[in-house]
Amino acid sequence: MLIPIIKQYLAAHKRLVVPQLGAFIVKEPERSVVFSELLKRDDGVLRGLLRDGGTSDLEAAGEIDRFVFEVRHAVERGQEYPLEGFGVMKPGPNGTIAFTHEPGSAAPLSGDEKPARQSQLEPGKLAEAVRTAFAEPHVSPSAKMNPDPSVRGLRYGKPPKNTDACRYVDRVPRRRGADWFIWIAIAAAVIAAGAIAFGYWRAAKEKQAEAEYIEVPAAQTAAATASEGALQPEQNE
């Protein structure tokens, strides 16, 4: 079902992306079709074409996933995957997926003949196979280093890697602002405790000085009274 839609769309447009697989691109002026794994982000066009044909969103997504898995399944095993009347998907260098454009209508089948390719996927294993196939999108190194001229200069792929999680490795982390508040609070508590202790010490010293001031005059008065008492008997004699 996908092959006629792809052929019909490329007859009037220059590019069609198959999500998680790649893009078919029309090269001018010879109108040949090339395939690139660099462009594989879903732009919604292919799903929209399937919906226009009366397919629901869920069925369209399943149809695309099934097609992509079968292509990858064949290529990873060194086999070709024919696209009837359009071309052949086959293994490329360094684990890439190559495409050979072979325009023309498919030959009619006789009564005893079967289609050149039938699905190799068991219905009960579809979900598991799709998850395994697309757990990590594949972009071959050679496709990145030497892209096709028709897609050269385009930005693609994953966002740049972030090393924030490892920036404290092998060096002491900077102190946070909260650490300074803790130290300031500790210093303030020490100063307050010292001020309280000094207040108690000063109060004790003042009481001691006051007690000494009171006791000294009292002792002097008692001594004076005793000396006067001793002098009076002598005068009476």
Side-chain angles (χ1 to χ4, degrees), residues 11-26:
H13 300 82
K14 293 184 178 181
R15 186 179 71 189
L16 180 61
V17 176
V18 179
Q20 300 301 325
L21 182 64
F24 293 99
I25 303 169
V26 178

Side-chain angles (χ1 to χ4, degrees), residues 71-100:
V71 172
R72 289 192 181 279
H73 183 81
V75 171
E76 288 174 0
R77 284 158 179 75
Q79 302 173 0
E80 295 184 350
Y81 188 93
L83 310 179
E84 296 183 7
F86 185 57
V88 178
M89 309 294 291
K90 57 186 178 181
N94 299 322
T96 60
I97 299 176
F99 171 73
T100 302

Side-chain angles (χ1 to χ4, degrees), residues 115-130:
R117 182 177 182 84
Q118 295 183 356
S119 173
Q120 299 178 356
L121 189 64
E122 297 180 7
K125 299 182 179 179
L126 176 60
E128 180 181 357
V130 170

Side-chain angles (χ1 to χ4, degrees), residues 112-190:
D112 296 334
E113 290 180 340
K114 295 182 179 180
R117 182 177 182 84
Q118 295 183 356
S119 173
Q120 299 178 356
L121 189 64
E122 297 180 7
K125 299 182 179 179
L126 176 60
E128 180 181 357
V130 170
R131 285 195 302 269
T132 303
F134 306 123
E136 181 66 25
H138 173 73
V139 178
S140 65
S142 61
K144 286 183 178 181
M145 300 301 297
N146 188 25
D148 188 90
S150 58
V151 297
R152 187 170 296 158
L154 296 175
R155 299 186 65 85
Y156 66 95
K158 299 180 180 179
K161 292 184 177 180
N162 193 315
T163 58
D164 290 343
C166 304
R167 58 182 171 180
Y168 292 140
V169 176
D170 295 335
R171 67 185 181 92
V172 179
R174 297 180 180 177
R175 293 199 174 273
R176 302 178 181 176
D179 294 341
W180 292 106
F181 286 111
I182 294 173
W183 285 111
I184 291 172
I186 293 173
V190 171

